Amino acid sequence: MSKKTRGERLTLSLTIHYGTLGSLSNQRSAIEFTARMLTRGTKKRSRQAFKDALDRLNAVVHVQPGAQGVVVVVEVRKPAMLETLDLVAEALKEPAFDTNEFEQLRREVISAQEALKTEPTQIGMLELRRTVDPWPV
């Protein structure tokens, strides 16, 4: 990358498509959990080892669910980009999908959903979304 940036910070966004709208219909929870599990360890590294590697590189990696796949956003300094991309590739190609990590994530999601049930802003956003976007699930 020849372009100069402040602090040599780079942001990369990668969209990975899979499935079709038909095959992914009614699979929202599975898609969301899959995206979130990708950064919770690989076959070679535990969740903590993966996090430590990112911290050592001063890199931030977000994996978010999309309509037909996942979106990976990476923020890192230029000198650490290739090593960070190797970590991201490892997470995407060899995710651990550890049952203990899955159970912990499930508990976190349930706890967060319970907390949102009484949040006025969340209730309003849900009603707005139902009104503006009346598509089936």
Side-chain angles (χ1 to χ4, degrees):
M1 305 279 310
S2 59
K3 184 178 177 182
K4 300 286 183 197
T5 60
R6 182 182 298 183
E8 292 191 300
R9 294 295 292 180
L10 300 174
T11 301
L12 168 99
S13 179
L14 170 69
T15 302
I16 301 172
H17 295 279
Y18 56 82
T20 64
L21 288 176
S23 69
L24 297 174
S25 180
N26 296 319
Q27 299 295 321
R28 182 176 180 163
S29 293
I31 292 167
E32 289 178 3
F33 271 80
T34 299
R36 293 179 68 182
M37 286 294 294
L38 289 173
T39 56
R40 287 182 170 245
T42 68
K43 291 180 180 173
K44 296 177 187 174
R45 302 171 206 262
S46 68
R47 177 184 182 186
Q48 189 60 49
F50 187 80
K51 182 184 179 309
D52 290 345
L54 290 175
D55 289 346
R56 180 179 52 79
L57 296 168
N58 194 21
V60 178
V61 175
H62 297 285
V63 181
Q64 304 159 336
Q68 282 184 267
V70 294
V71 178
V72 180
V73 178
V74 178
E75 295 179 38
V76 66
R77 291 193 63 227
K78 191 185 302 186
M81 177 58 95
L82 292 179
E83 195 173 346
T84 302
L85 289 178
D86 287 341
L87 283 171
V88 170
E90 182 181 320
L92 294 173
K93 290 179 181 179
E94 304 178 56
F97 290 116
D98 181 70
T99 55
N100 294 330
E101 287 292 336
F102 179 80
E103 186 59 31
Q104 181 179 351
L105 175 61
R106 188 183 72 77
R107 285 192 306 268
E108 289 171 9
V109 168
I110 290 171
S111 176
Q113 292 297 320
E114 290 295 323
L116 289 176
K117 282 183 177 178
T118 58
E119 177 66 34
T121 304
Q122 192 65 25
I123 294 169
M125 291 300 292
L126 178 61
E127 289 303 316
L128 177 64
R129 191 172 36 215
R130 285 178 179 158
T131 302
V132 174
D133 191 15
W135 299 99
V137 176

